[in-house]
Protein backbone atom coordinates (compact mmCIF):
# COMPACT_ATOMS: atom_id res chain seq x y z
CA UNK A 1 0.00 0.00 0.00
CA UNK A 2 1.45 3.32 -1.07
CA UNK A 3 2.23 6.15 1.30
CA UNK A 4 -0.40 8.36 -0.40
CA UNK A 5 -3.15 5.84 0.28
CA UNK A 6 -2.09 5.53 3.91
CA UNK A 7 -2.06 9.33 4.28
CA UNK A 8 -5.54 9.57 2.75
CA UNK A 9 -6.90 6.89 5.07
CA UNK A 10 -5.32 8.58 8.08
CA UNK A 11 -6.81 11.93 7.11
CA UNK A 12 -10.21 10.32 6.59
CA UNK A 13 -10.08 8.62 9.99
CA UNK A 14 -9.07 11.90 11.65
CA UNK A 15 -11.99 13.67 9.97
CA UNK A 16 -14.42 10.94 11.04
CA UNK A 17 -13.07 11.08 14.58
CA UNK A 18 -13.59 14.81 14.76
CA UNK A 19 -17.06 14.44 13.31
CA UNK A 20 -17.97 11.77 15.88
CA UNK A 21 -16.58 13.92 18.68
CA UNK A 22 -18.71 16.81 17.45
CA UNK A 23 -21.82 14.62 17.31
CA UNK A 24 -21.14 13.34 20.82
CA UNK A 25 -20.79 16.88 22.11
CA UNK A 26 -24.05 17.89 20.44
CA UNK A 27 -25.70 14.81 21.88
CA UNK A 28 -24.41 15.59 25.37
CA UNK A 29 -25.72 19.15 25.11
CA UNK A 30 -29.12 17.87 24.02
CA UNK A 31 -29.24 15.31 26.83
CA UNK A 32 -28.30 17.91 29.42
CA UNK A 33 -30.76 20.48 28.09
CA UNK A 34 -33.58 17.93 28.00
CA UNK A 35 -32.76 16.80 31.54
CA UNK A 36 -32.74 20.34 32.89
CA UNK A 37 -36.01 21.22 31.14
CA UNK A 38 -37.66 18.01 32.35
CA UNK A 39 -36.65 18.68 35.95
CA UNK A 40 -37.71 22.32 35.61
CA UNK A 41 -41.18 21.28 34.44
CA UNK A 42 -41.63 19.17 37.59
CA UNK A 43 -40.35 22.02 39.75
CA UNK A 44 -42.80 24.35 38.03
CA UNK A 45 -45.57 22.00 39.20
CA UNK A 46 -44.57 22.94 42.75
CA UNK A 47 -46.44 26.21 42.16
CA UNK A 48 -49.57 24.08 42.03
CA UNK A 49 -48.50 22.44 45.28
CA UNK A 50 -48.03 25.79 46.98
CA UNK A 51 -51.42 26.92 45.65
CA UNK A 52 -53.29 23.93 47.06
CA UNK A 53 -51.38 23.94 50.35
CA UNK A 54 -52.07 27.63 50.93
CA UNK A 55 -55.66 27.46 49.69
CA UNK A 56 -56.44 24.67 52.14
CA UNK A 57 -54.75 26.51 55.01
CA UNK A 58 -56.78 29.72 54.63
CA UNK A 59 -60.47 30.31 55.16
CA UNK A 60 -62.85 29.80 52.27
CA UNK A 61 -63.54 33.53 51.96
CA UNK A 62 -59.90 34.08 50.91
CA UNK A 63 -59.40 31.01 48.72
CA UNK A 64 -59.71 32.79 45.36
CA UNK A 65 -57.28 35.46 46.51
CA UNK A 66 -54.54 33.02 47.48
CA UNK A 67 -54.97 30.98 44.30
CA UNK A 68 -54.63 34.05 42.11
CA UNK A 69 -51.48 35.08 43.97
CA UNK A 70 -49.87 31.70 43.39
CA UNK A 71 -50.78 31.86 39.73
CA UNK A 72 -49.37 35.35 39.31
CA UNK A 73 -46.17 34.65 41.22
CA UNK A 74 -44.96 32.20 38.60
CA UNK A 75 -45.90 34.64 35.82
CA UNK A 76 -44.44 37.74 37.46
CA UNK A 77 -41.26 35.86 38.30
CA UNK A 78 -40.95 34.85 34.66
CA UNK A 79 -40.94 38.43 33.45
CA UNK A 80 -38.79 39.69 36.33
CA UNK A 81 -36.17 36.99 36.01
CA UNK A 82 -36.09 37.33 32.20
CA UNK A 83 -35.62 41.08 32.24
CA UNK A 84 -33.30 41.63 35.22
CA UNK A 85 -32.91 38.59 37.46
CA UNK A 86 -30.83 36.40 35.16
CA UNK A 87 -28.41 39.22 34.41
CA UNK A 88 -27.83 39.91 38.10
CA UNK A 89 -27.44 36.22 38.91
CA UNK A 90 -25.35 34.87 36.05
CA UNK A 91 -24.60 37.69 33.63
CA UNK A 92 -20.84 38.14 33.10
CA UNK A 93 -19.38 41.11 34.97
CA UNK A 94 -15.91 42.55 35.52
CA UNK A 95 -13.98 44.48 38.10
CA UNK A 96 -14.99 45.00 41.69
CA UNK A 97 -18.69 44.23 41.07
CA UNK A 98 -17.95 40.72 39.78
CA UNK A 99 -18.11 38.97 43.20
CA UNK A 100 -21.31 40.85 44.12
CA UNK A 101 -23.63 40.71 41.11
CA UNK A 102 -23.70 40.20 37.36
CA UNK A 103 -23.82 43.07 34.92
CA UNK A 104 -24.84 41.85 31.47
CA UNK A 105 -27.35 39.75 29.50
CA UNK A 106 -30.32 41.84 30.59
CA UNK A 107 -33.48 40.69 28.80
CA UNK A 108 -31.36 37.62 27.88
CA UNK A 109 -29.45 39.64 25.30
CA UNK A 110 -26.42 37.59 24.28
CA UNK A 111 -27.50 34.58 26.36
CA UNK A 112 -27.73 31.18 24.66
CA UNK A 113 -28.20 28.62 27.47
CA UNK A 114 -31.99 28.66 27.64
CA UNK A 115 -32.19 25.34 29.48
CA UNK A 116 -30.23 26.78 32.39
CA UNK A 117 -32.34 29.94 32.33
CA UNK A 118 -35.57 27.95 32.50
CA UNK A 119 -34.25 25.85 35.38
CA UNK A 120 -33.10 28.89 37.34
CA UNK A 121 -36.36 30.73 36.65
CA UNK A 122 -38.48 28.09 38.40
CA UNK A 123 -36.15 28.37 41.40
CA UNK A 124 -36.73 32.13 41.47
CA UNK A 125 -40.49 31.57 41.33
CA UNK A 126 -40.23 29.18 44.29
CA UNK A 127 -38.29 31.69 46.39
CA UNK A 128 -40.96 34.32 45.77
CA UNK A 129 -43.88 32.00 46.48
CA UNK A 130 -42.71 31.18 50.00
CA UNK A 131 -43.70 34.62 51.29
CA UNK A 132 -47.34 34.52 50.20
CA UNK A 133 -48.22 31.96 52.87
CA UNK A 134 -46.85 34.10 55.70
CA UNK A 135 -48.97 37.15 54.78
CA UNK A 136 -52.06 35.26 53.64
CA UNK A 137 -55.57 36.66 54.20
CA UNK A 138 -54.52 40.25 54.86
CA UNK A 139 -51.90 41.60 52.46
CA UNK A 140 -52.89 44.19 49.86
CA UNK A 141 -52.80 42.97 46.29
CA UNK A 142 -50.49 45.76 45.11
CA UNK A 143 -47.99 44.87 47.85
CA UNK A 144 -48.05 41.27 46.69
CA UNK A 145 -47.20 42.35 43.14
CA UNK A 146 -44.37 44.59 44.35
CA UNK A 147 -42.67 41.99 46.53
CA UNK A 148 -43.04 39.33 43.82
CA UNK A 149 -41.22 41.57 41.35
CA UNK A 150 -38.49 42.67 43.78
CA UNK A 151 -37.73 39.20 45.15
CA UNK A 152 -37.58 37.42 41.80
CA UNK A 153 -35.74 40.26 40.04
CA UNK A 154 -33.28 41.54 42.67
CA UNK A 155 -33.17 39.93 46.12
CA UNK A 156 -32.98 36.28 45.07
CA UNK A 157 -30.70 36.78 42.00
CA UNK A 158 -28.10 38.59 44.12
CA UNK A 159 -27.94 35.60 46.46
CA UNK A 160 -27.61 33.10 43.63
CA UNK A 161 -24.73 35.15 42.22
CA UNK A 162 -23.01 35.06 45.61
CA UNK A 163 -23.51 31.34 46.14
CA UNK A 164 -23.70 29.71 42.71
CA UNK A 165 -22.00 31.94 40.15
CA UNK A 166 -18.36 31.15 39.44
CA UNK A 167 -17.53 34.77 40.40
CA UNK A 168 -19.58 34.84 43.65
CA UNK A 169 -17.75 35.70 46.85
CA UNK A 170 -19.55 33.02 48.89
CA UNK A 171 -18.86 30.29 46.35
CA UNK A 172 -15.16 31.15 46.06
CA UNK A 173 -14.77 31.42 49.84
CA UNK A 174 -11.28 31.91 51.20
CA UNK A 175 -7.86 30.28 51.43
CA UNK A 176 -6.25 29.51 54.81
CA UNK A 177 -2.78 28.00 54.56
CA UNK A 178 -3.31 24.93 52.41
CA UNK A 179 -7.07 24.79 53.09
CA UNK A 180 -9.60 26.11 50.58
CA UNK A 181 -13.16 26.68 51.81
CA UNK A 182 -16.20 27.57 49.72
CA UNK A 183 -19.96 27.76 50.16
CA UNK A 184 -21.79 24.40 50.04
CA UNK A 185 -25.44 24.58 49.02
CA UNK A 186 -26.24 22.08 46.31
CA UNK A 187 -29.92 22.90 45.74
CA UNK A 188 -30.72 26.02 47.74
CA UNK A 189 -31.22 25.44 51.46
CA UNK A 190 -29.71 28.89 51.92
CA UNK A 191 -30.14 30.96 48.77
CA UNK A 192 -33.73 29.82 48.20
CA UNK A 193 -35.30 28.72 51.48
CA UNK A 194 -33.36 30.65 54.11
CA UNK A 195 -33.95 33.73 51.98
CA UNK A 196 -37.69 33.05 51.68
CA UNK A 197 -38.05 32.16 55.36
CA UNK A 198 -36.25 35.32 56.49
CA UNK A 199 -38.47 37.55 54.38
CA UNK A 200 -41.55 35.63 55.56
CA UNK A 201 -41.13 36.40 59.25
CA UNK A 202 -40.25 40.02 58.49
CA UNK A 203 -43.35 40.44 56.33
CA UNK A 204 -45.61 38.71 58.87
CA UNK A 205 -44.22 40.91 61.66
CA UNK A 206 -44.58 44.18 59.74
CA UNK A 207 -48.07 43.46 58.47
CA UNK A 208 -49.31 42.23 61.85
CA UNK A 209 -51.47 39.24 62.79
CA UNK A 210 -54.87 38.50 61.34
CA UNK A 211 -57.82 39.90 63.24
CA UNK A 212 -58.69 37.46 66.02
CA UNK A 213 -55.47 35.45 65.77
CA UNK A 214 -54.14 36.72 69.09
CA UNK A 215 -57.11 38.01 71.15
CA UNK A 216 -56.28 41.01 73.26
CA UNK A 217 -56.80 41.10 77.00
CA UNK A 218 -60.47 40.71 77.82
CA UNK A 219 -61.48 39.45 74.38
CA UNK A 220 -63.08 36.05 73.94
CA UNK A 221 -61.92 33.34 71.59
CA UNK A 222 -59.08 30.84 71.41
CA UNK A 223 -57.19 32.71 68.71
CA UNK A 224 -56.96 29.62 66.51
CA UNK A 225 -57.83 30.29 62.89
CA UNK A 226 -58.23 27.08 60.95
CA UNK A 227 -58.00 26.57 57.23
CA UNK A 228 -61.05 25.43 55.34
CA UNK A 229 -59.82 22.28 53.58
CA UNK A 230 -57.49 19.62 54.93
CA UNK A 231 -57.72 17.66 51.63
CA UNK A 232 -56.53 20.70 49.67
CA UNK A 233 -53.60 21.21 52.01
CA UNK A 234 -52.68 17.51 51.91
CA UNK A 235 -52.82 17.45 48.11
CA UNK A 236 -50.56 20.50 47.99
CA UNK A 237 -48.14 18.83 50.37
CA UNK A 238 -47.95 15.70 48.21
CA UNK A 239 -47.26 17.78 45.09
CA UNK A 240 -44.49 19.69 46.87
CA UNK A 241 -42.93 16.45 48.12
CA UNK A 242 -42.90 15.18 44.55
CA UNK A 243 -41.49 18.46 43.25
CA UNK A 244 -38.62 18.42 45.73
CA UNK A 245 -37.27 15.26 44.07
CA UNK A 246 -36.66 17.24 40.89
CA UNK A 247 -35.68 20.34 42.84
CA UNK A 248 -32.76 18.51 44.40
CA UNK A 249 -32.04 15.80 41.86
CA UNK A 250 -32.11 18.25 38.96
CA UNK A 251 -29.57 20.53 40.59
CA UNK A 252 -26.76 18.50 39.05
CA UNK A 253 -27.35 20.74 36.04
CA UNK A 254 -26.46 17.89 33.68
CA UNK A 255 -26.84 14.16 33.21
CA UNK A 256 -24.35 13.20 30.49
CA UNK A 257 -21.07 13.12 32.43
CA UNK A 258 -19.98 9.79 33.92
CA UNK A 259 -21.39 9.22 37.40
CA UNK A 260 -23.74 12.23 37.39
CA UNK A 261 -26.80 10.01 37.07
CA UNK A 262 -25.95 8.29 40.33
CA UNK A 263 -25.38 11.63 42.02
CA UNK A 264 -28.86 12.75 40.94
CA UNK A 265 -30.32 9.48 42.21
CA UNK A 266 -28.51 9.85 45.55
CA UNK A 267 -29.88 13.37 45.90
CA UNK A 268 -33.42 12.11 45.33
CA UNK A 269 -33.05 9.22 47.77
CA UNK A 270 -31.69 11.51 50.47
CA UNK A 271 -34.50 13.98 49.82
CA UNK A 272 -37.11 11.29 50.45
CA UNK A 273 -35.33 9.99 53.56
CA UNK A 274 -34.80 13.45 55.07
CA UNK A 275 -38.48 14.26 54.61
CA UNK A 276 -39.50 10.92 56.11
CA UNK A 277 -37.30 11.24 59.21
CA UNK A 278 -38.41 14.84 59.79
CA UNK A 279 -42.10 13.97 59.45
CA UNK A 280 -41.96 10.96 61.74
CA UNK A 281 -39.89 12.74 64.38
CA UNK A 282 -42.25 15.70 64.49
CA UNK A 283 -45.40 13.56 64.41
CA UNK A 284 -44.37 11.47 67.42
CA UNK A 285 -43.26 14.51 69.41
CA UNK A 286 -46.55 16.22 68.64
CA UNK A 287 -48.44 13.11 69.74
CA UNK A 288 -46.54 12.98 73.03
CA UNK A 289 -47.36 16.64 73.65
CA UNK A 290 -51.01 16.70 72.55
CA UNK A 291 -52.17 13.12 72.16
CA UNK A 292 -53.13 13.78 68.51
CA UNK A 293 -51.73 12.50 65.22
CA UNK A 294 -51.61 15.61 63.05
CA UNK A 295 -51.51 15.57 59.27
CA UNK A 296 -51.06 19.26 58.49
CA UNK A 297 -48.07 19.77 60.76
CA UNK A 298 -46.60 16.43 59.68
CA UNK A 299 -46.69 17.65 56.09
CA UNK A 300 -44.90 20.83 57.13
CA UNK A 301 -42.25 18.83 58.98
CA UNK A 302 -41.71 16.62 55.93
CA UNK A 303 -41.23 19.71 53.77
CA UNK A 304 -38.79 21.12 56.32
CA UNK A 305 -36.78 17.89 56.06
CA UNK A 306 -36.67 18.13 52.28
CA UNK A 307 -35.65 21.78 52.54
CA UNK A 308 -32.76 20.77 54.80
CA UNK A 309 -31.73 18.09 52.31
CA UNK A 310 -31.16 20.73 49.63
CA UNK A 311 -27.74 21.76 50.91
CA UNK A 312 -25.96 18.43 51.00
CA UNK A 313 -28.17 15.74 49.47
CA UNK A 314 -25.48 15.01 46.85
CA UNK A 315 -22.68 14.40 49.39
CA UNK A 316 -24.52 12.57 52.19
CA UNK A 317 -24.67 8.82 52.63
CA UNK A 318 -28.20 7.59 53.15
CA UNK A 319 -27.69 6.94 56.88
CA UNK A 320 -26.85 10.62 57.36
CA UNK A 321 -30.32 11.55 56.12
CA UNK A 322 -31.64 10.44 59.51
CA UNK A 323 -29.56 13.11 61.27
CA UNK A 324 -30.44 15.80 58.76
CA UNK A 325 -34.14 14.84 58.74
CA UNK A 326 -34.65 14.55 62.50
CA UNK A 327 -32.74 17.79 63.02
CA UNK A 328 -34.98 19.50 60.48
CA UNK A 329 -38.12 18.27 62.24
CA UNK A 330 -36.85 19.62 65.56
CA UNK A 331 -35.75 22.86 63.91
CA UNK A 332 -39.21 23.34 62.43
CA UNK A 333 -40.77 22.65 65.83
CA UNK A 334 -38.51 25.20 67.53
CA UNK A 335 -38.82 28.05 65.02
CA UNK A 336 -42.59 27.65 64.69
CA UNK A 337 -42.78 27.84 68.49
CA UNK A 338 -40.62 30.99 68.51
CA UNK A 339 -42.88 32.58 65.93
CA UNK A 340 -45.97 31.81 68.01
CA UNK A 341 -44.34 33.04 71.22
CA UNK A 342 -43.54 36.35 69.55
CA UNK A 343 -47.19 36.52 68.41
CA UNK A 344 -46.19 36.72 64.78
CA UNK A 345 -48.98 35.32 62.65
CA UNK A 346 -47.60 32.93 60.04
CA UNK A 347 -50.60 30.93 58.71
CA UNK A 348 -48.47 28.47 56.71
CA UNK A 349 -45.51 28.21 59.12
CA UNK A 350 -43.31 29.47 56.29
CA UNK A 351 -40.73 30.67 58.79
CA UNK A 352 -40.48 27.35 60.59
CA UNK A 353 -40.41 25.26 57.40
CA UNK A 354 -38.10 27.31 55.20
CA UNK A 355 -35.97 29.25 57.66
CA UNK A 356 -35.69 26.38 60.11
CA UNK A 357 -35.14 23.73 57.47
CA UNK A 358 -32.84 25.90 55.37
CA UNK A 359 -30.63 27.00 58.26
CA UNK A 360 -30.25 23.47 59.61
CA UNK A 361 -29.47 22.20 56.11
CA UNK A 362 -26.52 24.57 55.78
CA UNK A 363 -25.19 23.47 59.17
CA UNK A 364 -25.84 19.74 58.91
CA UNK A 365 -23.82 19.34 55.70
CA UNK A 366 -20.74 20.34 57.69
CA UNK A 367 -21.32 17.38 60.01
CA UNK A 368 -22.68 14.62 57.78
CA UNK A 369 -21.23 15.53 54.40
CA UNK A 370 -18.59 13.14 53.06
CA UNK A 371 -15.88 15.42 54.48
CA UNK A 372 -17.84 16.52 57.53
CA UNK A 373 -17.01 16.65 61.20
CA UNK A 374 -18.65 13.31 62.05
CA UNK A 375 -16.54 11.55 59.45
CA UNK A 376 -13.44 13.31 60.74
CA UNK A 377 -13.98 11.84 64.21
CA UNK A 378 -13.59 8.29 62.88
CA UNK A 379 -11.59 8.82 59.69
CA UNK A 380 -8.24 10.46 60.44
CA UNK A 381 -7.61 11.07 56.74
CA UNK A 382 -10.17 13.88 56.89
CA UNK A 383 -8.73 17.24 57.94
CA UNK A 384 -10.72 18.48 60.92
CA UNK A 385 -9.44 21.99 60.31
CA UNK A 386 -11.09 21.89 56.91
CA UNK A 387 -14.37 20.67 58.41
CA UNK A 388 -14.29 23.27 61.17
CA UNK A 389 -13.53 26.15 58.85
CA UNK A 390 -16.29 24.92 56.54
CA UNK A 391 -18.77 25.21 59.42
CA UNK A 392 -17.56 28.74 60.18
CA UNK A 393 -17.93 29.75 56.52
CA UNK A 394 -21.41 28.25 56.30
CA UNK A 395 -22.48 30.29 59.34
CA UNK A 396 -21.02 33.47 57.82
CA UNK A 397 -22.83 32.82 54.55
CA UNK A 398 -26.11 32.09 56.38
CA UNK A 399 -25.79 35.38 58.25
CA UNK A 400 -25.10 37.21 54.98
CA UNK A 401 -28.20 35.67 53.38
CA UNK A 402 -30.38 36.68 56.33
CA UNK A 403 -29.04 40.24 56.51
CA UNK A 404 -29.38 40.86 52.77
CA UNK A 405 -32.85 39.33 52.54
CA UNK A 406 -34.23 41.09 55.61
CA UNK A 407 -32.51 44.41 54.88
CA UNK A 408 -33.68 44.67 51.27
CA UNK A 409 -37.20 43.44 52.08
CA UNK A 410 -37.53 45.78 55.06
CA UNK A 411 -36.99 48.82 52.85
CA UNK A 412 -39.57 47.51 50.39
CA UNK A 413 -42.24 46.75 53.01
CA UNK A 414 -41.57 50.00 54.86
CA UNK A 415 -42.26 51.99 51.70
CA UNK A 416 -45.51 50.07 51.16
CA UNK A 417 -46.50 50.70 54.76
CA UNK A 418 -45.81 54.42 54.47
CA UNK A 419 -47.95 54.48 51.34
CA UNK A 420 -50.70 52.72 53.36
CA UNK A 421 -51.01 49.86 50.90
CA UNK A 422 -49.43 47.12 52.99
CA UNK A 423 -52.62 45.67 54.47
CA UNK A 424 -56.29 45.56 53.58
CA UNK A 425 -58.84 47.37 55.72
CA UNK A 426 -60.30 45.56 58.75
CA UNK A 427 -63.74 45.39 57.11
CA UNK A 428 -62.38 43.71 53.99
CA UNK A 429 -60.27 41.32 56.06
CA UNK A 430 -63.23 40.25 58.20
CA UNK A 431 -65.63 39.83 55.28
CA UNK A 432 -63.05 38.19 53.02
CA UNK A 433 -60.90 39.23 50.09
CA UNK A 434 -62.50 37.06 47.43
CA UNK A 435 -65.65 39.07 46.76
CA UNK A 436 -64.27 42.53 47.46
CA UNK A 437 -60.98 42.16 45.59
CA UNK A 438 -61.85 39.72 42.85
CA UNK A 439 -65.64 39.43 42.58
CA UNK A 440 -65.30 35.65 42.51
CA UNK A 441 -66.24 33.44 45.42
CA UNK A 442 -64.35 30.17 45.61
CA UNK A 443 -67.53 28.41 46.71
CA UNK A 444 -70.60 30.27 45.39
CA UNK A 445 -73.64 29.50 47.50
CA UNK A 446 -75.85 28.87 44.49
CA UNK A 447 -73.45 26.19 43.24
CA UNK A 448 -74.53 23.91 46.10
CA UNK A 449 -77.62 21.78 46.43
CA UNK A 450 -79.77 20.07 43.85
CA UNK A 451 -82.70 22.48 43.83
CA UNK A 452 -85.40 19.81 43.38
CA UNK A 453 -87.13 20.60 46.63
CA UNK A 454 -87.36 24.29 45.69
CA UNK A 455 -89.54 23.68 42.64
CA UNK A 456 -90.99 20.22 43.21
CA UNK A 457 -94.48 21.47 43.93
CA UNK A 458 -94.60 23.82 40.96
CA UNK A 459 -96.73 22.15 38.29
CA UNK A 460 -97.22 24.99 35.82
CA UNK A 461 -94.45 24.66 33.14
CA UNK A 462 -94.23 28.40 32.60
CA UNK A 463 -93.93 29.20 36.29
CA UNK A 464 -91.47 26.36 36.68
CA UNK A 465 -89.24 27.73 33.91
CA UNK A 466 -89.34 31.21 35.42
CA UNK A 467 -88.40 29.76 38.81
CA UNK A 468 -85.45 27.86 37.39
CA UNK A 469 -84.19 30.93 35.57
CA UNK A 470 -84.44 33.14 38.63
CA UNK A 471 -82.62 30.66 40.83
CA UNK A 472 -79.80 30.10 38.33
CA UNK A 473 -79.27 33.84 37.83
CA UNK A 474 -78.73 34.55 41.53
CA UNK A 475 -75.04 33.73 41.60
CA UNK A 476 -72.95 34.62 44.66
CA UNK A 477 -75.86 36.00 46.65
CA UNK A 478 -76.12 35.48 50.35
CA UNK A 479 -78.86 33.30 51.81
CA UNK A 480 -80.76 36.40 52.87
CA UNK A 481 -80.54 37.89 49.38
CA UNK A 482 -81.45 34.58 47.79
CA UNK A 483 -84.53 34.06 49.95
CA UNK A 484 -86.93 36.33 48.02
CA UNK A 485 -86.10 34.43 44.84
CA UNK A 486 -86.73 30.88 46.05
CA UNK A 487 -89.25 31.43 48.82
CA UNK A 488 -92.25 30.90 46.60
CA UNK A 489 -90.98 27.53 45.47
CA UNK A 490 -89.71 25.99 48.74
CA UNK A 491 -92.84 24.36 50.09
CA UNK A 492 -91.68 21.08 51.59
CA UNK A 493 -89.04 19.71 53.91
CA UNK A 494 -86.96 16.61 53.36
CA UNK A 495 -85.88 15.22 56.75
CA UNK A 496 -84.09 12.22 55.28
CA UNK A 497 -81.90 14.46 53.11
CA UNK A 498 -82.54 12.57 49.91
CA UNK A 499 -80.35 14.25 47.33
CA UNK A 500 -81.44 12.66 44.06
CA UNK A 501 -84.81 13.53 42.51
CA UNK A 502 -85.69 9.88 41.84
CA UNK A 503 -85.51 9.24 45.60
CA UNK A 504 -87.26 12.38 46.71
CA UNK A 505 -90.66 10.75 46.75
CA UNK A 506 -89.36 8.35 49.39
CA UNK A 507 -88.98 11.08 51.99
CA UNK A 508 -90.93 10.02 55.05
CA UNK A 509 -92.25 13.46 55.90
CA UNK A 510 -93.47 16.20 53.65
CA UNK A 511 -95.12 19.01 55.47
CA UNK A 512 -96.11 22.35 54.15
CA UNK A 513 -94.21 25.21 55.68
CA UNK A 514 -96.49 27.53 57.56
CA UNK A 515 -96.48 31.11 56.44
CA UNK A 516 -94.82 33.48 58.86
CA UNK A 517 -95.35 37.19 59.04
CA UNK A 518 -92.85 38.92 61.32
CA UNK A 519 -93.70 42.08 63.18
CA UNK A 520 -92.08 44.87 61.08
CA UNK A 521 -91.85 47.11 64.14
CA UNK A 522 -89.63 44.81 66.20
CA UNK A 523 -86.12 43.49 65.68
CA UNK A 524 -85.88 41.29 68.78
CA UNK A 525 -85.75 37.54 68.54
CA UNK A 526 -88.36 37.53 65.77
CA UNK A 527 -87.22 36.30 62.42
CA UNK A 528 -86.83 39.33 60.13
CA UNK A 529 -88.57 39.65 56.82
CA UNK A 530 -86.89 37.50 54.17
CA UNK A 531 -84.91 35.48 56.71
CA UNK A 532 -84.00 31.83 56.52
CA UNK A 533 -85.52 29.13 58.72
CA UNK A 534 -84.55 25.48 59.26
CA UNK A 535 -87.46 23.07 59.64
CA UNK A 536 -86.99 19.66 61.34
CA UNK A 537 -83.22 19.77 60.72
CA UNK A 538 -83.94 19.64 57.02
CA UNK A 539 -82.59 21.71 54.18
CA UNK A 540 -82.47 25.46 54.70
CA UNK A 541 -85.66 27.04 53.41
CA UNK A 542 -86.78 30.68 53.35
CA UNK A 543 -89.68 32.11 55.26
CA UNK A 544 -92.56 33.32 53.15
CA UNK A 545 -93.66 36.80 54.01
Amino acid sequence: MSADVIDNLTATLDALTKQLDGLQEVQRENYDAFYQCSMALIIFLMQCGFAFLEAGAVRSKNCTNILLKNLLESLIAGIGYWSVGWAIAYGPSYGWISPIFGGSQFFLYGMTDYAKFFFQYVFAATASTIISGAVAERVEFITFIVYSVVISSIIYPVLTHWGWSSDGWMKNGFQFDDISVGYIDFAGSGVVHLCGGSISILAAWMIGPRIGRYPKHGESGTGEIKGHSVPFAALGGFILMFGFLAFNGGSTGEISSPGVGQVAALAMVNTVLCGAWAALAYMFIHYLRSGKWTILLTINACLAGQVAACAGCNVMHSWAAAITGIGAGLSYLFFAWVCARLKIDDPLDAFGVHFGGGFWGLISVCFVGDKGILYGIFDHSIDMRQAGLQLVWQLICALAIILWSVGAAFIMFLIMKKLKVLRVSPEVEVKGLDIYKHGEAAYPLTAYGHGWDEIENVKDPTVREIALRKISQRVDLSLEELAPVVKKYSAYTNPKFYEHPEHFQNAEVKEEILKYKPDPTTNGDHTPRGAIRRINNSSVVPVNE
Side-chain angles (χ1 to χ4, degrees), residues 132-277:
S132 64
V135 295
E137 300 195 289
R138 60 208 191 274
V139 69
E140 267 288 1
F141 198 70
I142 185 64
T143 297
F144 151 74
I145 293 176
V146 170
Y147 80 65
S148 296
V149 171
V150 173
I151 292 172
S152 61
S153 303
I154 300 174
I155 297 178
Y156 169 76
V158 168
L159 294 177
T160 54
H161 185 84
W162 292 356
W164 289 341
S165 171
S166 58
D167 297 326
W169 67 269
M170 291 197 318
K171 180 180 177 63
N172 292 324
F174 65 93
Q175 187 80 24
F176 180 78
D177 291 339
D178 58 337
I179 299 175
S180 179
V181 176
Y183 178 64
I184 299 177
D185 190 5
F186 180 66
S189 285
V191 297
V192 177
H193 298 284
L194 188 61
C195 166
S198 300
I199 298 175
S200 292
I201 192 170
L202 172 72
W205 170 69
M206 292 189 69
I207 200 172
R210 291 167 292 175
I211 296 174
R213 176 64 180 90
Y214 296 109
K216 298 179 180 179
H217 182 68
E219 294 181 347
S220 61
T222 62
E224 184 179 12
I225 300 178
K226 294 183 178 180
H228 84 284
S229 176
V230 172
F232 270 18
L235 176 60
F238 278 121
I239 294 174
L240 289 173
M241 290 162 59
F242 171 68
F244 263 113
L245 300 179
F247 198 93
N248 292 355
S251 292
T252 57
E254 58 154 324
I255 198 65
S256 60
S257 298
V260 173
Q262 290 301 318
V263 173
L266 175 64
M268 293 182 182
V269 169
N270 283 332
T271 300
V272 171
L273 292 177
C274 285
W277 282 110

Side-chain angles (χ1 to χ4, degrees), residues 16 24 30 39 44 93 108 110 135 174 185 190 199 313 334 396 404 464 494 509 516 527:
L16 288 174
Q24 288 178 342
N30 288 335
M39 295 296 101
F44 186 83
S93 58
L108 301 189
V135 295
F174 65 93
D185 190 5
I199 298 175
C313 56
F334 172 74
I396 292 173
W404 164 251
R464 190 182 186 91
N494 183 9
V509 179
Y516 173 74
T527 306

Side-chain angles (χ1 to χ4, degrees), residues 8 96 222 242 299 343 370 373 410:
N8 289 334
W96 64 271
T222 62
F242 171 68
I299 289 172
K343 293 189 176 181
D370 54 8
I373 294 173
F410 177 78

Side-chain angles (χ1 to χ4, degrees), residues 290-454:
S290 66
K292 304 295 182 183
W293 304 100
T294 171
I295 181 173
L296 296 178
L297 300 182
T298 300
I299 289 172
N300 279 348
C302 177
L303 296 177
Q306 294 185 314
V307 166
C310 292
C313 56
N314 64 321
V315 293
M316 289 190 301
H317 291 289
S318 56
W319 65 264
I323 297 175
T324 301
I326 294 174
L330 297 176
S331 180
Y332 163 61
L333 177 67
F334 172 74
F335 284 106
W337 174 81
V338 168
C339 195
R341 289 288 294 177
L342 296 175
K343 293 189 176 181
I344 298 176
D345 185 15
D346 183 359
L348 272 293
D349 280 345
F351 176 66
V353 171
H354 298 279
F355 184 96
F359 183 78
W360 170 246
L362 293 180
I363 303 306
S364 66
V365 70
C366 301
F367 289 91
V368 298
D370 54 8
K371 295 182 180 179
I373 294 173
L374 289 183
Y375 284 94
I377 295 175
F378 303 99
D379 186 353
H380 297 292
S381 65
I382 295 176
D383 191 344
M384 290 294 285
R385 295 183 305 156
Q386 170 89 31
L389 289 174
Q390 184 65 61
L391 176 60
V392 172
W393 187 243
Q394 292 289 97
L395 289 171
I396 292 173
C397 292
L399 180 61
I401 291 171
I402 295 170
L403 291 177
W404 164 251
S405 302
V406 171
F410 177 78
I411 297 173
M412 172 183 63
F413 287 124
L414 183 62
I415 293 173
M416 304 309 292
K417 191 169 186 177
K418 292 295 183 181
L419 294 175
K420 298 182 179 180
V421 292
L422 182 62
R423 181 170 179 155
V424 299
S425 66
E427 181 181 7
V428 173
E429 182 180 343
V430 170
K431 292 185 177 181
L433 281 69
D434 286 0
I435 300 299
Y436 184 82
K437 291 291 183 180
H438 312 289
E440 297 172 327
Y443 307 98
L445 176 65
T446 50
Y448 288 84
H450 47 73
W452 288 94
D453 56 339
E454 277 85 0

